[in-house]
């Protein structure tokens, strides 16, 4: 790919974020403005495709921006990033602090490609210092498309609403066949166990999902298992990991 670059961080305006202005109910009747926004959205897709098209085999690592350095999840994310890089994967995160920083750090220190996809927010944190190749987005849905399009699997560490959003979108797309060969690993049995039990005891028990839907997720504390599942899922794609 072209030499990696750290994309400049887009600051949010005083009247809210770009997503907020797009989705504001008071602006929905402004057809002229929305037509121009379509061009901005198109340009953001073009930029993302251009910047990310030659990443090579890539795994996305998600987790909370609020994860402290002394949190066990930080160490786990760093180890995941390191091991994925050692296996030949590009490590892709949201580019922020916390667990994302840890995964980028692990990949970078192991000599792998460390990538961050930033998002415009009312509070600006900027890309973490371990992102080697950064791309910033105004629109959440464009950014989420990039994660799904270029990642071959997700490793999901403890996180909040943003992490849950990415997790359930991945599950939905896998369930509906929109993506294939897409392993999803939840790293942290204590944190994720309650969610999985609720899905099994309430959602599955009431017939809202199938057992095969739950089987799309692997819950573990074992970093090596997470990495091996990512490798196994990529192996049928033609030996792209240097084999």
């Amino acid at each position: 790919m072209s030499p990696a670059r750290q994309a400049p961080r887009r600051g949010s305006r005083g009247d809210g974020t770009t997503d907020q202005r797009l989705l504001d109910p008071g602006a929905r009747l402004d057809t002229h403005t929305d037509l121009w926004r379509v061009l901005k959205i198109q340009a953001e897709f073009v930029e993302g495709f251009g910047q990310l098209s030659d990443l090579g085999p890539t795994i996305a690592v998600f987790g909370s921006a609020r994860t402290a350095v002394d949190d066990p999840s930080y160490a786990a994310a760093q180890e995941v990033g390191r091991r994925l890089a050692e296996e030949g994967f590009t490590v892709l995160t949201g580019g922020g602090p916390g667990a994302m920083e840890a995964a980028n750090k692990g990949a970078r220190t192991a000599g792998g490609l460390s990538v961050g996809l930033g998002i415009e927010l009312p509070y600006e944190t900027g890309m973490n210092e371990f992102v080697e190749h950064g791309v910033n987005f105004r629109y959440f849905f464009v950014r989420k498309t990039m994660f799904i399009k270029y990642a071959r699997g997700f490793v999901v560490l403890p996180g909040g609403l943003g992490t849950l959003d990415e997790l359930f979108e991945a599950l939905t797309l896998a369930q509906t066949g929109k993506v294939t060969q897409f392993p999803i690993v939840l790293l942290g049995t204590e944190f994720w166990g309650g969610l999985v039990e609720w899905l099994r005891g309430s959602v599955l028990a009431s017939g809202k999902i199938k057992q095969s839907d739950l089987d799309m997720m692997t819950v573990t504390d074992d970093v090596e298992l997470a990495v091996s599942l990512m490798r196994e899922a990529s192996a049928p794609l033609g030996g792209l990991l240097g084999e």
Side-chain angles (χ1 to χ4, degrees):
M1 63 188 299
S2 59
R5 68 178 181 86
Q6 175 79 35
R9 186 72 175 177
R10 292 183 176 124
S12 59
R13 290 169 25 180
D15 55 345
T17 65
T18 307
D19 265 329
Q20 181 182 353
R21 292 189 292 275
L22 171 66
L23 301 174
D24 184 352
R28 288 179 182 172
L29 299 179
D30 189 351
T31 304
H32 177 75
T33 300
D34 283 345
L35 290 175
W36 279 107
R37 283 177 175 148
V38 169
L39 297 179
K40 293 180 180 179
I41 293 167
Q42 177 181 324
E44 195 152 287
F45 273 112
V46 170
E47 179 183 2
F49 293 153
Q51 290 292 323
L52 303 173
S53 60
D54 53 355
L55 289 181
T58 300
I59 300 298
V61 180
F62 294 105
S64 176
R66 301 177 183 180
T67 301
V69 175
D70 59 355
D71 189 311
S73 293
Y74 190 99
Q78 186 172 339
E79 179 67 5
V80 165
R82 181 184 70 82
R83 287 293 296 119
L84 287 172
E86 290 175 347
E87 292 292 333
F89 288 108
T90 293
V91 173
L92 179 65
T93 78
M100 295 174 281
E101 173 189 287
N104 286 131
K105 180 179 181 180
R108 190 74 179 270
T109 55
L113 182 57
S114 173
V115 180
L117 305 184
I119 185 67
E120 178 189 76
L121 293 171
Y123 44 90
E124 293 296 321
T125 59
M127 291 282 186
N128 70 68
E129 63 180 299
F130 301 103
V131 170
E132 182 179 1
H133 185 80
V135 184
N136 280 292
F137 295 90
R138 294 186 176 95
Y139 297 99
F140 260 113
F141 57 89
V142 178
R143 177 180 180 247
K144 288 165 71 174
T145 298
M146 300 301 155
F147 279 120
I148 293 292
K149 179 174 176 59
Y150 293 107
R152 294 183 180 171
F154 283 179
V155 178
V156 190
L157 289 110
L161 295 179
T163 302
L164 292 170
D165 179 45
E166 296 290 357
L167 168 61
F168 279 100
E169 179 170 38
L171 289 170
T172 300
L173 292 173
Q175 179 202 52
T176 55
K178 297 296 185 181
V179 293
T180 58
Q181 296 179 312
F182 199 84
I184 301 169
V185 174
L186 307 184
L187 197 60
T189 55
E190 183 177 356
F191 183 87
W192 294 112
L195 173 64
V196 175
E197 285 305 310
W198 173 77
L199 289 171
R200 181 178 292 110
S202 294
V203 187
L204 176 63
S206 62
K208 304 299 189 297
I209 59 175
K210 300 177 180 179
Q211 180 60 45
S212 58
D213 298 328
L214 285 181
D215 292 342
M216 293 187 297
M217 297 181 291
T218 299
V219 185
T220 184
D221 294 311
D222 189 343
V223 169
E224 288 303 319
L225 175 60
V227 173
S228 68
L229 290 172
M230 299 299 140
R231 185 177 180 86
E232 289 168 9
S234 294
L237 300 179
L240 294 177
L241 297 179
E243 294 182 344

